[in-house]
Amino acid sequence: MKIWLKYLIGIVLGVLSALILPFGSLQGVSTLSFVTEFVIRIGRYTLIPLLLFSGIMAVYRLNDAKLIGKTSLWTFSVIIISSVLLTIIGFISIVVIKLPRIPIITEKVSQVTSIDFPNLIRSMIPFSSFESLSEGAFLLPCFIFALIIGAGCCMAHSNLKPILSLTDSFSELFFNISSIVIDFMSIGMIAIMCNWTIQFKSIIKSGVFTPLILMLTANFILIVGIIYPLLVKKLCRGGKPIKVLSSCVVPFFISFFSGDTNLTLSANMRLGKEKLGIRQRTNGFVYPLFSIFARGGSALTVIISFVVIWRSYSPLNIDFIDMLWISGTALLLSFLLGGMPTGGTFVALTVLCTMYGRGMETGYLLLKPAAPIIGSFAALLDTATAMFGTYIVANNTKTIERHRA
């Protein structure tokens, strides 16, 4: 059975479970939350060793093929350009289309969320390199550790062949284990989808957030259905956007219904290799970088959400200079969300409201009930960026294996 069909069956069963089973009680909700968290923990369980060993071999092989500089340049160029592009799309869409205002609510602020930038920098290089393997949310320290080991392996080829052989075997081992976990996630999708359906019902029940959801849906269709395929056609010789789209189905399911960008990484790496033919040297290097830094989907949703909050508080239009500041700040904040695979979008919105001031410090509370669905759309767009972006990088560095039918 095809993997996307397994996930589709799990999604359908999850929706039916949410509609049929009695989850109205406190005990039912608690049990469902526990099962959902347990499934997500299993999905992330093998991610760190996969990232470590795949990263080491990717750096070694890219250096051996003299592609490390070209691949890095293409990767960071695509990450920056895609983030700016999504920021511009969010800017234009919310300026052109004025969504209805959201009724003002009175709610006390329990705790102000912020991004601790100095601590973020410190966490990239912990006191012990082995501490980088204990962090399950922020993948950058582990990836940096893999880069350092990979660079060390490039210095003395003959003496390190046994280590490289062992590392390659571990990389293959954890890739196979992660493939098994991804198959298992199709069963776990029942619990994830059930939990998501219950949250979604409560969000759309009042109809207040329906226009916002429709705008985010329209942006997703525009970006994934038109803009990204056109970029693939333009930037890739012999590019096949339909093939990339078909490879995105399972990662789309995982990212949208879990809202977890880390959970999607294993599926991206597997389908990138199996369906798109992206070689391991690119697979283990580019996908993690996109997962950590390419959060343009978060920037887009934050811009749209902030303007909706503004228009709910004030009948006045936002100045063009203010819109530029909002968009630029949202763009910069998106690069700092690598340590927040879930909920990072709403944290960025909170920080943006606090930084803007002018009575908007607590404006994010208006969209707090819709935070899960906003995060789902952000994760969905970020997953699309990772899949299309990695394909563009692999195509232009000629690290795609052409499979014949």
Side-chain angles (χ1 to χ4, degrees):
M1 184 184 295
K2 292 184 180 296
I3 186 171
W4 67 266
L5 188 56
K6 295 179 184 179
Y7 273 81
L8 185 60
I9 293 172
I11 288 170
V12 172
L13 292 176
V15 173
L16 293 176
S17 300
L19 297 177
I20 296 173
L21 298 179
F23 287 109
S25 64
L26 183 62
Q27 184 178 1
V29 173
S30 177
T31 302
L32 180 59
S33 298
F34 171 78
V35 174
T36 303
E37 183 183 352
F38 184 74
V39 169
I40 292 175
R41 284 175 178 268
I42 292 177
R44 286 195 196 176
Y45 193 68
T46 60
L47 185 56
I48 291 295
L50 173 66
L51 184 66
L52 176 66
F53 293 112
S54 297
I56 293 171
M57 293 309 302
V59 171
Y60 173 75
R61 286 176 174 164
L62 284 172
N63 181 76
D64 194 49
K66 295 181 173 56
L67 285 174
I68 188 73
K70 186 176 182 180
T71 302
S72 300
L73 180 61
W74 267 102
T75 300
F76 285 105
S77 297
V78 174
I79 287 174
I80 294 171
I81 291 171
S82 64
S83 298
V84 172
L85 177 63
L86 291 179
T87 301
I88 293 172
I89 292 172
F91 176 94
I92 294 174
S93 61
I94 196 60
V95 168
V96 173
I97 301 174
K98 293 187 176 182
L99 298 180
R101 64 185 299 273
I102 297 174
I104 305 298
I105 60 172
T106 55
E107 182 179 345
K108 292 183 179 179
V109 181
S110 57
Q111 183 178 359
V112 178
T113 309
S114 61
I115 298 177
D116 190 348
F117 185 71
N119 189 52
L120 188 68
I121 297 297
R122 283 194 293 267
S123 66
M124 291 169 55
I125 307 293
F127 285 110
S128 170
S129 55
F130 291 102
E131 288 182 26
S132 62
L133 306 180
S134 63
E135 177 57 60
F138 195 23
L139 301 179
L140 185 57
C142 176
F143 188 69
I144 291 175
F145 188 31
L147 295 183
I148 293 172
I149 298 176
C153 291
C154 296
M155 294 180 181
H157 295 244
S158 57
N159 297 330
L160 298 175
K161 282 184 179 179
I163 295 177
L164 288 169
S165 179
L166 181 63
T167 303
D168 193 24
S169 299
F170 272 121
S171 175
E172 189 68 26
L173 171 65
F174 284 105
F175 184 86
N176 293 335
I177 293 174
S178 69
S179 297
I180 296 172
V181 171
I182 292 167
D183 285 330
F184 166 79
M185 286 293 295
S186 62
I187 302 172
M189 187 57 66
I190 299 174
I192 292 174
M193 188 63 202
C194 184
N195 187 58
W196 186 90
T197 303
I198 293 172
Q199 288 182 331
F200 185 71
K201 283 171 60 180
S202 65
I203 291 171
I204 66 169
K205 188 175 182 180
S206 63
V208 172
F209 304 108
T210 303
L212 175 61
I213 294 172
L214 291 175
M215 172 172 275
L216 293 175
T217 304
N219 274 297
F220 170 73
I221 294 172
L222 172 67
I223 292 165
V224 176
I226 299 176
I227 295 177
Y228 279 177
L230 288 177
L231 287 175
V232 168
K233 279 290 187 182
K234 183 71 175 177
L235 298 175
C236 300
R237 186 178 181 181
K240 299 177 180 179
I242 301 301
K243 191 175 182 180
V244 182
L245 272 174
S246 67
S247 304
C248 289
V249 175
V250 171
F252 281 172
F253 285 157
I254 297 175
S255 60
F256 186 69
F257 296 121
S258 70
D260 193 320
T261 55
N262 284 0
L263 195 64
T264 318
L265 180 56
S266 298
N268 284 347
M269 294 176 69
R270 173 184 170 178
L271 294 168
K273 179 181 178 181
E274 293 179 356
K275 298 201 69 173
L276 299 179
I278 298 174
R279 293 183 178 178
Q280 184 188 16
R281 66 187 68 172
T282 303
N283 210 329
F285 183 81
V286 179
Y287 274 121
L289 287 174
F290 270 94
S291 180
I292 296 167
F293 294 111
R295 305 295 289 273
S298 297
L300 181 146
T301 53
V302 165
I303 292 167
I304 293 175
S305 301
F306 184 86
V307 175
V308 169
I309 294 170
W310 168 279
R311 289 173 178 167
S312 299
Y313 275 100
S314 173
L316 301 176
N317 291 325
I318 306 178
D319 294 337
F320 182 74
I321 300 299
D322 285 344
M323 277 300 301
L324 287 179
W325 183 89
I326 293 165
S327 301
T329 305
L331 174 63
L332 294 176
L333 288 173
S334 70
F335 293 115
L336 304 177
L337 300 180
M340 303 175 202
T342 57
T345 304
F346 194 72
V347 170
L349 179 61
T350 304
V351 173
L352 183 60
C353 290
T354 305
M355 292 176 64
Y356 189 77
R358 308 182 195 180
M360 295 282 292
E361 291 86 351
T362 59
Y364 61 90
L365 293 175
L366 287 183
L367 295 182
K368 188 177 179 181
I373 193 67
I374 292 172
S376 292
F377 276 103
L380 189 64
L381 289 168
D382 293 338
T383 299
T385 301
M387 289 297 286
F388 278 92
T390 304
Y391 181 79
I392 290 172
V393 173
N395 193 286
N396 285 277
T397 55
K398 298 179 181 179
T399 52
I400 290 182
E401 298 176 359
R402 306 293 181 181
H403 299 294
R404 278 190 166 188

